[in-house]
Amino acid sequence: MRIEAAGATDVGQVRRINQDAYLLGYSAFAVADGMGGHQAGEVASAAALEPVAELDGRVFADPEAARQALVDAFVTANRMVTDMSADDPDYRGMGTTLTAVLFEGRRLHLGHTGDSRAYLVRDGQLRQLTTDHTLVQHLIDEGQITPAEAAIHPQRSIITRAIGVAADVQVDTETFEIQSGDRLLLCSDGLTGVVPDEQLAQLLLEVESPQALAETLIERANAGGGHDNITAVVVDFVEEGAGTTTAGASASVAGDGQDRAPLQVRTSETRSGDDWARRLSQLGALGSPEDPDAADTGPRRATAIAIAVVLLLVLAGLGGRWLLSRSYYVGLQHDRVAIYQGVPVELGPLNLSWVVERTSVHVDELPAYYVEALRDGIPAIDRRDARLIIENRPQRPEGTTPAQPSPSPSPTETPATP
Ligand code: MN
């Protein structure tokens, strides 16, 4: 049996930086979707691929050794990313998803954490191999919402597990036998959040070449809005002797390595420091209302991880308060700015935050966009950071109408001409 593989990644139509990365190896393949400001997202996703890349081409004594090596790679990736964010303030709060496969003989070992996905096409059927570690998946499992509702749920990007956000990482693993004709897809949520499963299945069954398929998937996601970075890795298992004209990586699983494809690790080349998400690391620096990236989901997503980690701990009753007590944000209490401990989320009757410090700063002093941000909660690393955020708050330009402290959008959002 021979493996033919191809991968593609694209920044999409909205973001300015591609924080996705993929690994296209000989026996190891992976997708990582990074998050965090100040280039931290790209750093996290690229770093997470390194330990997986080290497994590429390795021979294992038995299936369990291979599976364990894959789990170890996740643990190493987690340590690398958490160490980096501990060492460098610019990298605080960064994290990444990681979905990786390792081939060992005719077996496939799958490791997964986050909301990137692995799919298998076998006998004309598409099967999702991974379960998303997301809040909405949790709600689906609980029977509270349907998958259709999850697809449009406002909190659908909240992920409950990731590499680099905690000392421990939980990895889902699965091992199964490969059959000739199998096709594997690894992808980031920039694809699956846009292209529905039915369309995905159709393309996976119709497009023959892995390279053409990977590119087509990217095109579809871009055509659907491309609101996130998009990555697709396609791996085909072809019976030896079957003719092929496929471009892209091609290698024999049990071969002598003569035709071994070069290891490809694709990460973002972009190094423009303009990502609004840098707010997480640059104290108090918020996007201006003119900044189109102010709507970027980077920091929201990083906050989302923190929220979700807390959420699961709370739900599991495992001393969630401990972690909760380590989260702060700046928000509004009535019409004054306040520092909150906890996370700006309400779970039915559960309110997961409380005011720890009130200020005399009134919403009337602030620009409308900033008041909006306060309503969502501006994440702070700690209480000191929260104070700095408040100290560095922007002033409402002279001659503009104050923002209303009501939760509904008001006509005062746009500053009036002086
Ligand atoms: Mn993504």
Side-chain angles (χ1 to χ4, degrees):
M1 188 144 56
R2 197 172 69 246
I3 290 178
E4 289 176 9
T9 187
D10 192 76
V11 70
Q13 303 296 304
V14 175
R15 305 284 192 96
R16 277 192 288 180
I17 294 173
N18 191 350
Q19 300 190 320
D20 282 4
Y22 69 83
L23 167 72
L24 199 61
Y26 169 67
S27 60
F29 302 86
V31 166
D33 176 351
M35 58 217 82
H38 216 88
Q39 287 97 52
E42 304 99 283
V43 169
S45 58
L49 294 182
E50 282 178 32
V52 183
E54 291 201 355
L55 301 179
D56 193 46
R58 257 176 64 183
V59 177
F60 298 93
D62 53 66
E64 178 49 28
R67 196 198 65 85
Q68 189 57 51
L70 185 60
V71 171
D72 291 347
F74 275 70
V75 171
T76 305
N78 190 60
R79 202 192 54 234
M80 285 169 66
V81 177
T82 46
D83 282 356
M84 280 192 285
S85 49
D87 291 348
D88 189 337
D90 280 351
Y91 293 157
R92 280 214 203 159
M94 74 177 176
T96 183
T97 72
L98 182 59
T99 300
V101 288
L102 179 64
F103 296 98
E104 173 260 329
R106 286 182 79 95
R107 267 171 301 270
L108 177 151
H109 302 278
L110 169 70
H112 166 66
T113 189
D115 67 348
S116 299
R117 289 182 181 173
Y119 289 87
L120 177 71
V121 181
R122 175 177 289 177
D123 303 327
Q125 297 290 319
L126 179 72
R127 181 159 77 95
Q128 189 179 328
L129 299 177
T130 50
T131 304
D132 292 347
H133 299 137
T134 56
L135 174 62
V136 289
Q137 183 62 49
H138 180 79
L139 296 175
I140 293 171
D141 295 345
E142 296 277 294
Q144 295 189 37
I145 59 170
T146 65
E149 286 167 334
I152 53 164
H153 197 280
Q155 268 94 48
R156 63 186 178 279
S157 65
I158 293 186
I159 66 176
T160 52
R161 281 198 226 167
I163 296 283
V165 297
D168 294 319
V169 64
Q170 260 182 293
V171 189
D172 287 353
T173 61
E174 194 184 338
T175 296
F176 56 90
E177 298 282 326
I178 297 297
Q179 291 175 13
S180 125
D182 280 355
R183 166 170 271 182
L184 186 77
L185 169 70
L186 303 180
C187 58
S188 66
D189 68 326
L191 175 67
T192 51
V194 176
V195 182
D197 272 8
E198 308 78 64
Q199 267 191 49
L200 213 55
Q202 199 192 351
L203 291 169
L204 283 163
L205 291 169
E206 279 176 4
V207 183
E208 215 172 292
S209 121
Q211 186 68 47
L213 175 59
E215 286 164 11
T216 306
L217 292 171
I218 303 274
E219 273 166 33
R220 284 299 170 95
N222 271 324
H227 56 71
D228 193 4
N229 307 145
I230 313 146
T231 301
V233 168
V234 181
V235 187
D236 280 358
F237 303 91
V238 186
E239 200 55 65
E240 210 74 71
T244 176
T245 52
T246 306
S250 168
S252 168
V253 180
D256 53 11
Q258 293 286 316
D259 59 346
R260 179 175 167 159
L263 185 69
Q264 288 181 47
V265 179
R266 263 301 296 272
T267 61
S268 171
E269 302 297 325
T270 320
R271 284 294 178 268
S272 97
D274 277 335
D275 189 356
W276 185 76
R278 71 186 170 207
R279 220 256 18 109
L280 273 179
S281 42
Q282 279 188 342
L283 308 178
L286 262 174
S288 71
E290 294 78 29
D291 186 352
D293 269 14
D296 199 315
T297 52
R300 284 169 193 275
R301 180 130 187 209
T303 318
I305 296 175
I307 291 171
V309 167
V310 165
L311 203 63
L312 276 208
L313 284 175
V314 169
L315 293 175
L318 294 173
R321 188 83 172 185
W322 181 83
L323 195 57
L324 208 58
S325 68
R326 276 165 167 68
S327 307
Y328 290 86
Y329 69 95
V330 180
L332 288 179
Q333 190 190 32
H334 311 298
D335 49 6
R336 307 268 174 191
V337 175
I339 298 175
Y340 284 81
Q341 197 167 3
V343 288
V345 73
E346 275 176 43
L347 275 178
L350 265 182
N351 194 343
L352 298 182
S353 65
W354 54 94
V355 172
V356 291
E357 236 176 273
R358 294 180 179 83
T359 74
S360 57
V361 181
H362 195 273
V363 287
D364 284 357
E365 304 168 33
L366 305 166
Y369 77 90
Y370 196 81
V371 175
E372 274 305 307
L374 287 169
R375 281 192 192 118
D376 289 342
I378 300 172
I381 294 156
D382 50 28
R383 201 155 161 169
R384 194 177 136 267
D385 183 32
R387 289 199 193 106
L388 278 170
I389 288 171
I390 296 171
E391 268 173 40
N392 294 331
R393 68 188 180 275
Q395 295 294 314
R396 182 171 60 81
E398 285 298 318
T400 59
T401 321
Q404 298 303 304
S406 69
S408 56
S410 69
T412 57
E413 298 301 312
T414 325
T417 324

